[in-house]
Amino acid sequence: MTSLKTPKGTMDESPRQCFLHEEIIERIRRVFVLYGAVPISTPTFEMKSILTNKYGEDTKLIYDLKDQGGEICALRYDLTVPFARYLASNKIRRMKRYQIGRVYRRDQPSIARGRLREFVQADFDIAGECIQMMADAEVVSCVDRILSMFGIGEYRIKVNDRRILTSILEVVGVSCESYGTVCSTIDKIEKMSWEDIGRELVLKGLSEEQVRTTKKYMTMGGKEDVLGLLKADPVYGIERCKAAVHDMEELFRLCRILGCSSSLVMDISLARGLDYYTGMILEAEYVGKSVGSVIGGGRYDNLTENLGERCVSTPCVGFSVGVSRIFSLLYEEYDKESSTVVYVGASGGLFLDERLSVLRILQDANICSETFYTRRSSFESQQKYVAKKKIPFIVVVGESEIAAGSVQVINALTRKKEIVKVEQMVSYLLDPENQ
Amino acid sequence: MTSLKTPKGTMDESPRQCFLHEEIIERIRRVFVLYGAVPISTPTFEMKSILTNKYGEDTKLIYDLKDQGGEICALRYDLTVPFARYLASNKIRRMKRYQIGRVYRRDQPSIARGRLREFVQADFDIAGECIQMMADAEVVSCVDRILSMFGIGEYRIKVNDRRILTSILEVVGVSCESYGTVCSTIDKIEKMSWEDIGRELVLKGLSEEQVRTTKKYMTMGGKEDVLGLLKADPVYGIERCKAAVHDMEELFRLCRILGCSSSLVMDISLARGLDYYTGMILEAEYVGKSVGSVIGGGRYDNLTENLGERCVSTPCVGFSVGVSRIFSLLYEEYDKESSTVVYVGASGGLFLDERLSVLRILQDANICSETFYTRRSSFESQQKYVAKKKIPFIVVVGESEIAAGSVQVINALTRKKEIVKVEQMVSYLLDPENQ
């Protein structure tokens, strides 16, 4: 027998889920537009070769298409690499774009925590040479506006700089080639104990001593003042660390002007697993919520260049909103089931033709409306339906109303009933006094 | 060297293309909602077993995912089979839903004609037992409203009934088992000459005589009056043909009440290639446009039942809008490049911090705005950018303005310039008199 299940890690969305999903996406989209971003769209799958060597240890999570005698393709893992490919193939040197779409990862799914194999990301990115840290600050400002918009509660935007992290690893004595894989492990800091992190780092070649020193740095607390601690530390002797610390200071300064610094914290343990980040990295979460980070991003200055031989370098910075995670934080409270404004009911008969005439008038006036097409229906069951779907109006067609060229309009909320001539129905419904 | 191309039959969308795509989708969505439909969403890929035996000869066009040691999946070919699967797996007997999403076909692509391997469909379907032909008529009404909305020009909605077609094949003497494959050939009637159709039918086992009789029926002209011709024909002796002719008459009657009959034509040669149709089928096109049909659909009463052993039968009728085809009819005339309302410019210096303060005020007031972050920029180049993107306002920050706590507001269309206090800037911009 054929199984009717959806593939592992994917799910259907019911109308209620869809309504919420669409609302979240639309609200995020409006923030992107507020910042002057323009939309682009890329295919759901890419040439496999574009996706290789971009995601570090997560490359194993890429979904491949079957070789059906054509090109070798894979489903997109994120919207960042496709954006870099878009810039490179169209030779675009400057762009502020957004893209909202599904991405695919063969990960261990957890529906409750909003972790699926197919999920929606909403991305905002700025490409092009800018005044130092300005694009990064705008990214933080946009993140801040999105997080505050949903009314979910207190949130933190954690930032770090990849160069600080690699400088620390240099001081600890980790070899260059291991930076990526060590970052992958450090990235798990919120999900694993330091004991397990340490064990994994030892497996990756670090000595117990090196693990201890790494931990010392990673647990440096504080907000912006961590930057002061770093300035007093040997790691500050490394040129790229010095540059990064100054960049972070400028980021905090610009964010204060933009009004988005109150939730911003410096977190030296923030690593981000992906290979392509080069400078500022960020991750944002709602405090005390179980879904983990809902936004992640950072600077990736070399990604376009690394796509191919003749590709130029275009500095980029941006972030992805994990729409499904925000969804899972809002869904419990959400109860929209329908967009219908008027239900055309019938009392004392079916009156199909008459109901259709009324429906046509309503729809021609752009009023979302529906009626029943079943072979029988009691007025009680119609009222039940209207109540369940929270439809604000019922327009009732009955024998005496038809004879008089009228309908009865019932406000489902206030219970107010009125007989209205058919030709006055639309203006009656649109009159704020009757709503 | 890595190629930066998108996979065959897929394409990137530039901001302008995306703006248009989003607008088309939003307008279609609003019509669906006008008819009381609710959204659902299903995964981009399905268990492969769900998709087999549904698409007749087009099954070869399905995109399979690679077997990576999990389930065997394939990208969805349409949104109809996933909807039927949704109904069956959730045991839903009645629903009016819409779904807008990408579908995938390994077909021969033609970008100019809006035929791609990845493209967007917007689907509207009504599931559940209804008064005879009522759901079908609502489907026609919804199709009619969508086609008239875009202002592309004259259009035709062609309808037929699969049962009329199979009755004709019965009269011609084609065996039951061949109905599907013969319909696939007849479906190509607009793309192939009757000579080639005839040749293909002979290959499929029909005699020259049978081809001639089939052709006689298929070229019966007329609108609703074809139904009269059929009533006088031997084919009317077949019970299911009689039922279908009466259904078509009722469809025309209901469509007259709903005000959507003027573009409706009966077309006996309309076949639709897919296996799952059982009754009314429809196809709509703009007259004299090269892209072919932009909407297709029909009744599929047995699809849910055929999904599995314990699945019940739920009658369904619906249609898909080929969004990319409508797109290709509208794109040439379309020129939106940006949603930005205010560009924050600078004159006589960079004034980054001051521009950021102004930007923050605008964005806090929900006014879409942007500024430049380059290390230099002449006021002329800023004006050029604003003109190119058709941004309505420039707010200029300069030395004297800063000293006076003011900005200069320029209406890019009327060229009107005014010095405005920063605290009055938002109300000035929102005042219709200044727009």
Side-chain angles (χ1 to χ4, degrees), chain A residues 1-8 10-15 18-19 22 29 33-36 38-47 49-50 62-66 68-71 73 75-76 85-86 88-90 94-96 98 102 104 106 118 129-132 134-135 138 145 253-254 256-259 307-311 337-340 350 352-353 355-357 359-360 363-364 366-370 373-375, chain B residues 1-8 10-15 18-19 22 29 33-36 38-47 49-50 62-66 68-71 73 75-76 85-86 88-90 94-96 98 102 104 106 118 129-132 134-135 138 145 253-254 256-259 307-311 337-340 350 352-353 355-357 359-360 363-364 366-370 373-375:
Chain A
M1 196 191 127
T2 311
S3 153
L4 294 178
K5 69 184 283 297
T6 60
K8 181 176 178 183
T10 69
M11 59 179 275
D12 291 328
E13 281 179 5
S14 68
C18 257
F19 275 124
E22 285 181 1
R29 204 189 61 78
V33 169
L34 187 65
Y35 281 75
V38 293
I40 68 160
S41 167
T42 61
T44 302
F45 46 86
E46 293 276 348
M47 307 290 284
S49 56
I50 298 284
I62 291 175
Y63 260 107
D64 294 326
L65 294 192
K66 189 172 167 183
Q68 289 176 292
E71 297 158 335
C73 298
L75 297 181
R76 61 189 178 198
R85 200 244 333 119
Y86 178 87
S89 60
N90 294 289
R94 176 173 301 288
M95 179 172 223
K96 194 192 290 179
Y98 69 87
R102 296 178 172 197
Y104 304 86
R106 299 185 69 252
E118 174 181 41
E129 208 61 68
C130 290
I131 292 172
Q132 195 68 2
M134 191 50 243
E138 178 161 85
R145 207 173 282 273
R253 191 187 78 83
L254 292 169
R256 272 190 293 273
I257 301 179
L258 290 170
L307 283 172
E309 274 167 44
R310 261 176 275 168
C311 296
E337 294 271 1
S338 167
S339 300
T340 299
L350 270 183
L352 177 68
D353 292 7
R355 278 187 289 128
L356 293 186
S357 299
L359 201 64
R360 178 182 170 183
Q363 290 174 344
D364 283 347
N366 240 329
I367 296 171
C368 297
S369 43
E370 58 182 289
Y373 299 142
T374 47
R375 292 196 183 82
Chain B
M1 197 191 127
T2 312
S3 154
L4 294 177
K5 70 186 281 298
T6 60
K8 182 176 177 184
T10 69
M11 58 179 275
D12 291 328
E13 281 179 6
S14 67
C18 257
F19 275 126
E22 284 180 3
R29 203 189 61 78
V33 169
L34 188 65
Y35 282 75
V38 292
I40 69 160
S41 168
T42 61
T44 302
F45 47 86
E46 293 276 348
M47 307 290 284
S49 57
I50 297 283
I62 291 175
Y63 261 106
D64 295 326
L65 293 193
K66 189 173 169 182
Q68 289 176 291
E71 297 158 336
C73 298
L75 297 181
R76 61 190 177 198
R85 200 246 330 120
Y86 178 87
S89 60
N90 294 289
R94 175 173 301 287
M95 178 172 224
K96 194 191 291 179
Y98 69 87
R102 297 178 172 198
Y104 305 86
R106 298 185 69 254
E118 174 180 41
E129 208 62 68
C130 290
I131 292 171
Q132 195 67 3
M134 189 51 242
E138 178 162 84
R145 207 174 282 274
R253 192 187 77 81
L254 292 170
R256 272 190 295 274
I257 301 179
L258 289 169
L307 284 173
E309 274 167 42
R310 261 176 274 168
C311 296
E337 295 271 3
S338 166
S339 299
T340 299
L350 271 184
L352 177 68
D353 292 7
R355 278 187 290 128
L356 293 186
S357 300
L359 201 65
R360 178 182 171 183
Q363 290 174 343
D364 283 347
N366 239 328
I367 296 172
C368 298
S369 44
E370 59 182 288
Y373 298 144
T374 47
R375 291 196 184 83

Side-chain angles (χ1 to χ4, degrees), chain B residues 17 67 146 178 185 204 313 332 344 358 406:
Chain B
Q17 291 168 317
D67 179 358
I146 288 169
S178 303
T185 301
K204 289 183 173 179
S313 168
E332 212 174 297
V344 181
V358 168
S406 304

Side-chain angles (χ1 to χ4, degrees), chain B residues 117-133:
Chain B
R117 288 183 160 196
E118 174 180 41
F119 57 98
V120 174
Q121 282 195 339
D123 277 33
F124 175 93
D125 291 84
I126 302 171
E129 208 62 68
C130 290
I131 292 171
Q132 195 67 3
M133 300 316 285

Side-chain angles (χ1 to χ4, degrees), chain B residues 275-287:
Chain B
D275 269 6
Y276 51 64
Y277 291 117
T278 55
M280 189 270 282
I281 44 183
L282 73 82
E283 222 167 85
E285 61 189 13
Y286 286 103
V287 178

